[in-house]
Amino acid sequence: MKTEKEKMLAGEVYSAIDPQLIEELTEVKEIIHDYNLLRPSEKQKAREILRGLLGHIADDEILIIQPFYCDYGKQISVGTIGDDCFIGPNVSIYTACHSTDPVERNSRREWAEPVSIGNNVWIGGSVTILPGVTIGDNVTIGAGSVVAKDIPSNSIAVGNPCKVIKKLESAL
């Protein structure tokens, strides 16, 4: 029988109130607390914390400006977020899903749907990206947008819900 964590990692429905998951969540919140208290000049310490916190970092050029928040950390792979991406302040990337049925939702069962962000992407401030979304390469998402559906490569998209308003003629 699978543990709740194994179910979570497999993208299956799992119990969010599992003691092992709650303990791991608490440990990650402690690490993030320390990260968010670092001085801006403590770049090396910040990189060390991120290398221990996140699942995969392709290189040392990652910069996450505080405050930073996440639940488990190890499921974040910089690579799922492509190269040369710029993510503005207060951007929220969600992967957790919950039932719309109140009785089912109150059971505290949930599942995750991954988010993928391509290369050369600019995500403006206060954008919300919902579970299961793929954003292609060479995309700009306008500030304040709510991305509920996939955005194709070579696009500029804005709004709530976020929609493509322009296709780019030439890309990198």
Side-chain angles (χ1 to χ4, degrees), residues 87-98:
I87 300 175
N90 301 314
V91 168
S92 299
I93 303 171
Y94 296 104
T95 60
C97 299
H98 307 85

Side-chain angles (χ1 to χ4, degrees), residues 59 61-65 77-89 91 93 115-124 129 134-141 172:
D59 58 44
E61 292 188 37
I62 185 171
L63 173 64
I64 298 176
I65 297 171
S77 175
V78 180
T80 305
I81 298 173
D83 294 336
D84 297 315
C85 286
F86 298 92
I87 300 175
V91 168
I93 303 171
V115 169
S116 180
I117 300 171
N119 297 315
N120 305 309
V121 173
W122 169 248
I123 300 172
I129 302 171
T134 295
I135 297 173
D137 295 333
N138 309 310
V139 169
T140 298
I141 305 291
L172 295 175

Side-chain angles (χ1 to χ4, degrees), residues 15-33:
S15 173
I17 57 172
D18 174 70
Q20 177 190 2
L21 292 177
I22 295 295
E23 181 179 332
E24 188 172 329
L25 190 66
T26 302
E27 290 171 7
V28 169
K29 296 300 180 199
E30 292 285 339
I31 293 167
I32 290 171
H33 175 78

Side-chain angles (χ1 to χ4, degrees), residues 98-107:
H98 307 85
S99 176
T100 56
D101 176 84
V103 173
E104 196 173 316
R105 183 176 53 247
N106 288 338
S107 73

Side-chain angles (χ1 to χ4, degrees), residues 136-139 152-156 164 166-172:
D137 295 333
N138 309 310
V139 169
S153 293
N154 307 311
S155 299
I156 297 174
V164 174
K166 183 176 181 181
K167 292 294 285 176
L168 302 176
E169 296 284 328
S170 62
L172 295 175

